[in-house]
Amino acid sequence: LLVSGGRISVKARGVSVFYHGPPLPSTSQQQLTVVSVVVQALPSTARSLLLRLLLRKRRWYSLAGLSYSEVPDVPTAAAQLRAAGLVCWSSDADADLDSLLPELPAVMLKAVLAKVLPRKHPAMVSSSSSGTATGGPEGKAALVSSIQSNACRARLHSALTGAAGDWLMVLPAVLDTFVRLQHIYFLNQGQDLGMFLAVDRGALRYPTYCVTRARAVFSSRQCLLEYEEALQLAAQVDQALEDDNTDLAWHLLQPALTALHGGSHKRIVWDEEHGAVMPNPPSQQQQQASTPPLQHQHHTQPQQAAHQQQRQAQVQHSQTAALLDIQSPRHRSPSSNSFTHHCSRISRSRSRSPSPSSNSPDGGSDSEGLADSATSCSNSYSSRGVSRSSTLSSSGARRLSRRTPAPPSVIRTRAAAAAEAMAGNTAEQPDLAAQLEVPSVKGQVYKADEFGAAAAAQAPTASTAAAAPPLFLARFCACWVHCSLGTVAVSLLEKQKRWSDAVDLLRVLLGGNACVGRRGEWWERLAINLEHQGLPEQALEAAESALADSWVRGGDLLGLQRRCLRLGKPPRRWRRPSWSAQAEWEPRERAVTGRPLNCNTGSKSRFYGLDGSQVTVEELALQHYASEAGGAWQGLHSEGGVWATLFGLLLWDVLFMGVPDVFRSPFQVAPLDLDSDAFYPARMEQLDRQLTRIADGEAGDILSSTWAAHQGTMCRGVNWQRFSQDQLLDICQCVGGLGLAAVLRLMAEDHAGATGGLPDLLLWRTSDLTAKVVEVKGPRDRLSNQQRFWLAHMANSNIQVEVCKIREPSSTSRK
């Protein structure tokens, strides 16, 4: 392994991968020296042994138990690592024997204890009578305690060598350096250098693409350390909530809240011209007039630049007015953003916040949606807030104690301390709009057709490294993780019914520039909490202001529009907005009566199927639609799974085309910008061309070609095992080119927002080449706003939509 001048070279079992890019954030001189020694002084067998040890999970390893085909003489290689100062042996004077003892088998511990103590010593008699030599956690703990309390260090060294032989451990400094290098290389804590071995042995197959790194992800070592510290804090909060220890979770959240109140999330900037049309926070001097967004049109090249500048100015104005409305509520009419526009075509200026989960090695997609099933901690906390919201944001925040939270001064992180220092440690926060003044840094503009394989040879310049990163890389910072943890804190406060504190924290989050994909959720929670406080007028003002926020889209926008209609009745508002009819649209319903197995609120409903088996509501609906009375449909219960598979297969070449910075290692299953608004603009010409082919009826040819060329290759969302090629071809033919292109276009323009809310069932009938999507609801379920949004979009795309309501027999019918 070589780390010098922005180069990494890893060689193991004949696999070589070279990284030529911006210099990595520098580690300490001692760590760099350690890494340099690995390449400069050690033979290949010693390097192979070191790599093997680093990829294993234990701390100590028995020298006699190590055996690898590429290391014929393990003792010699281990001695070379020891001489280089990379590992320590149990016989070394400074070895950490306290960490070694718990990893020894119980039989070895018994032998060590016998060498340390006389046969008739009370500890020996006690261990023999209690049978601790048989093993088990309690027996091993007793043996370790006896050895530690009765043996001096010199005698323990001799006893260990005689009874257990030589053991070795990679030094913590080497391990920490290696883990950090892996994190920088993969940008994903769920991957390590084992990926090289898995690919070499054929266990995993990744797509082929051009790896380019035009910009550095972390501008300094300090930024990297703060980000890692924030991820560790988020993991601890996650664990505390899983253990139902909400007091500890609140205590752990204090450093993140301190950093947020210090304004760290207001200083994050990204390069708007690198794909993000949403500007950085506007200055206080900018015009505050709210202007509705323009619909996207195809323009020539000069017209596109003028259109983008005009759009940026408009969203800056609307953003300022929206945020100021929350701090200084005033009467205003609802935004003229039309729900019809969002159903027919999502504006390309809108997107969810990006997600790094595309580095996950699991390309499969199940019935739970489009998200990867193996998402690392880094992915979970650095994308759309806390992606495992079921664990952290809602259901993870369980029964809460009403005790006073621990003081924030107990735990401090680097980012929290820095934010406190920059804020001057003042209790009074400046005006919200003033806090939003962040300089906008613009860098180089890349066009999709201006680079290809030759982009790998481009050397980054000093100006490029110093420029603000694109949004999909800007999220790799501590303040992004802190904002996601702030969302968790809001959930805890709401569980405690501390509405006022939750409102204050939501205003802090909305005043920042991180986790932009969560802004719709924050606005809605703000309006709800204001209602809980008995302030319906302020709740209405908050919902109306949210409509001017360009980051509010999809189901979030629809939910806020519906809230405005509910709260904005006379005498609060006398005039209904133009989009009211579209926001109140209801899909067609079909009622199916079934025999229930359980009638408990809060648990998943189960019924007897038409064949007498026990089924879920979705399976019962599929049986109904497959019957002659239901229409003799073929169908799948896949939610977003089938659409994600079609998205990957039909847009494969566009997904993996060359774009700077989106592929930073050979082990990605999707580009880094897939879940950001940079994805569509960087590939607009290619995407429009491919979607036109799909609309013209060429989806079957595209799918067959992709299947033949890439079957078995991992791609985010594509499930090769669940769906057959013939099945997918029938679906493409029955859905039709226009409907399929409309769904895929929305997924391309707002991929992160499209991961939830897709209908449960996809039905098709080859006899008349028709298709239908169905959302299934149990007796006590109702549609979410995101589900309503998808049904409306598909209905406007000439796809049949329906809600199947599974009902229990009425008491009259049973009699």
Tab-separated table of all heavy atoms in Angstrom, residues 614-645:
chain	number	residue	atom	x	y	z
A	614	GLN	N	-53.509	-18.809	4.780
A	614	GLN	CA	-53.349	-17.548	5.501
A	614	GLN	C	-52.468	-16.618	4.676
A	614	GLN	O	-51.346	-16.967	4.318
A	614	GLN	CB	-52.725	-17.797	6.876
A	614	GLN	CG	-53.564	-18.679	7.785
A	614	GLN	CD	-52.943	-18.863	9.158
A	614	GLN	OE1	-51.970	-18.197	9.514
A	614	GLN	NE2	-53.509	-19.781	9.934
A	615	VAL	N	-52.984	-15.417	4.399
A	615	VAL	CA	-52.296	-14.499	3.485
A	615	VAL	C	-52.321	-13.091	4.062
A	615	VAL	O	-53.085	-12.773	4.981
A	615	VAL	CB	-52.980	-14.497	2.093
A	615	VAL	CG1	-52.872	-15.855	1.436
A	615	VAL	CG2	-54.436	-14.061	2.208
A	616	THR	N	-51.470	-12.243	3.487
A	616	THR	CA	-51.488	-10.814	3.804
A	616	THR	C	-52.541	-10.124	2.938
A	616	THR	O	-53.122	-10.732	2.020
A	616	THR	CB	-50.108	-10.194	3.533
A	616	THR	OG1	-49.805	-10.314	2.137
A	616	THR	CG2	-49.025	-10.902	4.341
A	617	VAL	N	-52.764	-8.843	3.192
A	617	VAL	CA	-53.756	-8.114	2.406
A	617	VAL	C	-53.318	-8.020	0.951
A	617	VAL	O	-54.158	-8.069	0.031
A	617	VAL	CB	-53.996	-6.709	3.010
A	617	VAL	CG1	-54.706	-6.807	4.343
A	617	VAL	CG2	-52.695	-5.937	3.148
A	618	GLU	N	-52.013	-7.888	0.697
A	618	GLU	CA	-51.531	-7.820	-0.680
A	618	GLU	C	-51.738	-9.151	-1.403
A	618	GLU	O	-52.135	-9.173	-2.573
A	618	GLU	CB	-50.056	-7.431	-0.707
A	618	GLU	CG	-49.751	-6.024	-0.217
A	618	GLU	CD	-49.615	-5.930	1.288
A	618	GLU	OE1	-49.656	-6.991	1.943
A	618	GLU	OE2	-49.465	-4.814	1.818
A	619	GLU	N	-51.485	-10.252	-0.729
A	619	GLU	CA	-51.685	-11.566	-1.350
A	619	GLU	C	-53.158	-11.837	-1.615
A	619	GLU	O	-53.526	-12.427	-2.643
A	619	GLU	CB	-51.080	-12.653	-0.463
A	619	GLU	CG	-49.561	-12.590	-0.373
A	619	GLU	CD	-48.999	-13.464	0.727
A	619	GLU	OE1	-49.763	-13.838	1.637
A	619	GLU	OE2	-47.798	-13.773	0.675
A	620	LEU	N	-54.016	-11.398	-0.684
A	620	LEU	CA	-55.453	-11.547	-0.892
A	620	LEU	C	-55.907	-10.728	-2.097
A	620	LEU	O	-56.719	-11.193	-2.914
A	620	LEU	CB	-56.212	-11.120	0.364
A	620	LEU	CG	-57.743	-11.181	0.283
A	620	LEU	CD1	-58.213	-12.606	-0.033
A	620	LEU	CD2	-58.371	-10.693	1.590
A	621	ALA	N	-55.383	-9.506	-2.235
A	621	ALA	CA	-55.736	-8.678	-3.392
A	621	ALA	C	-55.266	-9.315	-4.691
A	621	ALA	O	-55.990	-9.316	-5.697
A	621	ALA	CB	-55.139	-7.282	-3.230
A	622	LEU	N	-54.052	-9.895	-4.693
A	622	LEU	CA	-53.569	-10.575	-5.898
A	622	LEU	C	-54.472	-11.748	-6.278
A	622	LEU	O	-54.762	-11.968	-7.471
A	622	LEU	CB	-52.137	-11.072	-5.675
A	622	LEU	CG	-50.998	-10.062	-5.876
A	622	LEU	CD1	-49.662	-10.693	-5.521
A	622	LEU	CD2	-50.974	-9.548	-7.310
A	623	GLN	N	-54.933	-12.510	-5.279
A	623	GLN	CA	-55.832	-13.618	-5.570
A	623	GLN	C	-57.149	-13.111	-6.164
A	623	GLN	O	-57.711	-13.717	-7.080
A	623	GLN	CB	-56.101	-14.429	-4.299
A	623	GLN	CG	-54.890	-15.198	-3.792
A	623	GLN	CD	-55.194	-16.008	-2.544
A	623	GLN	OE1	-56.344	-16.053	-2.078
A	623	GLN	NE2	-54.183	-16.665	-2.001
A	624	HIS	N	-57.643	-12.003	-5.621
A	624	HIS	CA	-58.892	-11.432	-6.150
A	624	HIS	C	-58.720	-10.995	-7.607
A	624	HIS	O	-59.554	-11.308	-8.464
A	624	HIS	CB	-59.332	-10.249	-5.292
A	624	HIS	CG	-60.411	-9.424	-5.913
A	624	HIS	ND1	-61.730	-9.831	-5.949
A	624	HIS	CD2	-60.371	-8.218	-6.563
A	624	HIS	CE1	-62.456	-8.921	-6.580
A	624	HIS	NE2	-61.661	-7.931	-6.951
A	625	TYR	N	-57.639	-10.269	-7.910
A	625	TYR	CA	-57.445	-9.782	-9.277
A	625	TYR	C	-57.139	-10.920	-10.239
A	625	TYR	O	-57.395	-10.801	-11.448
A	625	TYR	CB	-56.317	-8.752	-9.304
A	625	TYR	CG	-56.718	-7.407	-8.759
A	625	TYR	CD1	-56.236	-6.948	-7.540
A	625	TYR	CD2	-57.588	-6.578	-9.466
A	625	TYR	CE1	-56.594	-5.715	-7.044
A	625	TYR	CE2	-57.957	-5.340	-8.969
A	625	TYR	CZ	-57.460	-4.909	-7.757
A	625	TYR	OH	-57.832	-3.689	-7.265
A	626	ALA	N	-56.600	-12.029	-9.765
A	626	ALA	CA	-56.329	-13.168	-10.641
A	626	ALA	C	-57.592	-13.948	-10.989
A	626	ALA	O	-57.605	-14.702	-11.962
A	626	ALA	CB	-55.304	-14.091	-9.990
A	627	SER	N	-58.655	-13.780	-10.195
A	627	SER	CA	-59.901	-14.493	-10.451
A	627	SER	C	-60.637	-13.873	-11.629
A	627	SER	O	-60.348	-12.747	-12.060
A	627	SER	CB	-60.783	-14.468	-9.203
A	627	SER	OG	-61.187	-13.136	-8.915
A	628	GLU	N	-61.612	-14.609	-12.156
A	628	GLU	CA	-62.409	-14.097	-13.260
A	628	GLU	C	-63.181	-12.858	-12.837
A	628	GLU	O	-63.327	-11.903	-13.606
A	628	GLU	CB	-63.362	-15.190	-13.754
A	628	GLU	CG	-62.670	-16.344	-14.456
A	628	GLU	CD	-61.988	-15.908	-15.744
A	628	GLU	OE1	-62.477	-14.949	-16.383
A	628	GLU	OE2	-60.968	-16.518	-16.122
A	629	ALA	N	-63.690	-12.850	-11.604
A	629	ALA	CA	-64.443	-11.687	-11.127
A	629	ALA	C	-63.551	-10.463	-10.990
A	629	ALA	O	-64.007	-9.326	-11.163
A	629	ALA	CB	-65.095	-12.016	-9.779
A	630	GLY	N	-62.287	-10.681	-10.703
A	630	GLY	CA	-61.375	-9.559	-10.524
A	630	GLY	C	-60.737	-9.072	-11.804
A	630	GLY	O	-60.056	-8.041	-11.803
A	631	GLY	N	-60.884	-9.808	-12.912
A	631	GLY	CA	-60.343	-9.364	-14.189
A	631	GLY	C	-59.307	-10.278	-14.804
A	631	GLY	O	-58.796	-9.986	-15.887
A	632	ALA	N	-58.974	-11.390	-14.134
A	632	ALA	CA	-58.005	-12.369	-14.666
A	632	ALA	C	-56.669	-11.702	-15.001
A	632	ALA	O	-56.109	-11.860	-16.088
A	632	ALA	CB	-58.582	-13.080	-15.898
A	633	TRP	N	-56.114	-10.963	-14.020
A	633	TRP	CA	-54.842	-10.280	-14.207
A	633	TRP	C	-53.681	-11.170	-13.754
A	633	TRP	O	-53.811	-11.961	-12.820
A	633	TRP	CB	-54.788	-8.995	-13.393
A	633	TRP	CG	-55.786	-7.938	-13.752
A	633	TRP	CD1	-57.059	-7.808	-13.265
A	633	TRP	CD2	-55.587	-6.852	-14.664
A	633	TRP	NE1	-57.668	-6.717	-13.814
A	633	TRP	CE2	-56.783	-6.096	-14.687
A	633	TRP	CE3	-54.528	-6.446	-15.465
A	633	TRP	CZ2	-56.944	-4.967	-15.461
A	633	TRP	CZ3	-54.678	-5.322	-16.240
A	633	TRP	CH2	-55.871	-4.585	-16.248
A	634	GLN	N	-52.556	-11.023	-14.386
A	634	GLN	CA	-51.290	-11.474	-13.803
A	634	GLN	C	-50.753	-10.332	-12.945
A	634	GLN	O	-51.016	-9.166	-13.235
A	634	GLN	CB	-50.272	-11.805	-14.895
A	634	GLN	CG	-50.686	-12.899	-15.844
A	634	GLN	CD	-49.605	-13.180	-16.868
A	634	GLN	OE1	-48.500	-13.602	-16.508
A	634	GLN	NE2	-49.930	-12.954	-18.136
A	635	GLY	N	-49.989	-10.644	-11.901
A	635	GLY	CA	-49.544	-9.552	-11.043
A	635	GLY	C	-48.372	-9.893	-10.169
A	635	GLY	O	-48.002	-11.058	-9.986
A	636	LEU	N	-47.787	-8.845	-9.621
A	636	LEU	CA	-46.660	-8.937	-8.697
A	636	LEU	C	-46.888	-8.013	-7.523
A	636	LEU	O	-47.400	-6.897	-7.687
A	636	LEU	CB	-45.351	-8.526	-9.384
A	636	LEU	CG	-44.748	-9.454	-10.430
A	636	LEU	CD1	-43.601	-8.737	-11.130
A	636	LEU	CD2	-44.246	-10.739	-9.787
A	637	HIS	N	-46.520	-8.466	-6.335
A	637	HIS	CA	-46.444	-7.564	-5.179
A	637	HIS	C	-44.973	-7.216	-4.993
A	637	HIS	O	-44.195	-7.968	-4.431
A	637	HIS	CB	-46.988	-8.242	-3.924
A	637	HIS	CG	-46.745	-7.435	-2.683
A	637	HIS	ND1	-46.470	-8.004	-1.456
A	637	HIS	CD2	-46.719	-6.090	-2.474
A	637	HIS	CE1	-46.283	-7.051	-0.553
A	637	HIS	NE2	-46.433	-5.887	-1.151
A	638	SER	N	-44.583	-6.065	-5.525
A	638	SER	CA	-43.166	-5.701	-5.494
A	638	SER	C	-42.938	-4.276	-5.050
A	638	SER	O	-41.796	-3.868	-4.860
A	638	SER	CB	-42.560	-5.880	-6.889
A	638	SER	OG	-43.143	-4.969	-7.805
A	639	GLU	N	-44.017	-3.476	-4.894
A	639	GLU	CA	-43.880	-2.056	-4.578
A	639	GLU	C	-42.905	-1.423	-5.578
A	639	GLU	O	-43.162	-1.407	-6.763
A	639	GLU	CB	-43.460	-1.871	-3.127
A	639	GLU	CG	-44.489	-2.403	-2.138
A	639	GLU	CD	-44.095	-2.206	-0.699
A	639	GLU	OE1	-43.045	-1.603	-0.428
A	639	GLU	OE2	-44.844	-2.671	0.180
A	640	GLY	N	-41.749	-0.943	-5.112
A	640	GLY	CA	-40.829	-0.306	-6.047
A	640	GLY	C	-39.840	-1.247	-6.699
A	640	GLY	O	-39.053	-0.820	-7.552
A	641	GLY	N	-39.859	-2.535	-6.344
A	641	GLY	CA	-38.836	-3.450	-6.833
A	641	GLY	C	-38.821	-3.608	-8.336
A	641	GLY	O	-37.767	-3.554	-8.974
A	642	VAL	N	-39.984	-3.815	-8.945
A	642	VAL	CA	-40.025	-4.027	-10.391
A	642	VAL	C	-39.679	-2.742	-11.135
A	642	VAL	O	-39.013	-2.768	-12.176
A	642	VAL	CB	-41.408	-4.567	-10.814
A	642	VAL	CG1	-42.499	-3.547	-10.554
A	642	VAL	CG2	-41.389	-4.994	-12.276
A	643	TRP	N	-40.110	-1.589	-10.608
A	643	TRP	CA	-39.784	-0.317	-11.266
A	643	TRP	C	-38.292	-0.014	-11.155
A	643	TRP	O	-37.685	0.529	-12.084
A	643	TRP	CB	-40.603	0.815	-10.658
A	643	TRP	CG	-42.081	0.630	-10.834
A	643	TRP	CD1	-42.985	0.268	-9.876
A	643	TRP	CD2	-42.829	0.762	-12.052
A	643	TRP	NE1	-44.242	0.181	-10.403
A	643	TRP	CE2	-44.186	0.492	-11.736
A	643	TRP	CE3	-42.500	1.091	-13.356
A	643	TRP	CZ2	-45.198	0.529	-12.688
A	643	TRP	CZ3	-43.507	1.130	-14.309
A	643	TRP	CH2	-44.832	0.857	-13.985
A	644	ALA	N	-37.686	-0.352	-10.026
A	644	ALA	CA	-36.246	-0.144	-9.873
A	644	ALA	C	-35.461	-1.033	-10.832
A	644	ALA	O	-34.450	-0.619	-11.416
A	644	ALA	CB	-35.816	-0.425	-8.438
A	645	THR	N	-35.932	-2.264	-11.018
A	645	THR	CA	-35.272	-3.159	-11.950
A	645	THR	C	-35.392	-2.638	-13.379
A	645	THR	O	-34.411	-2.642	-14.147
A	645	THR	CB	-35.882	-4.566	-11.838
A	645	THR	OG1	-35.638	-5.072	-10.516
A	645	THR	CG2	-35.268	-5.509	-12.852
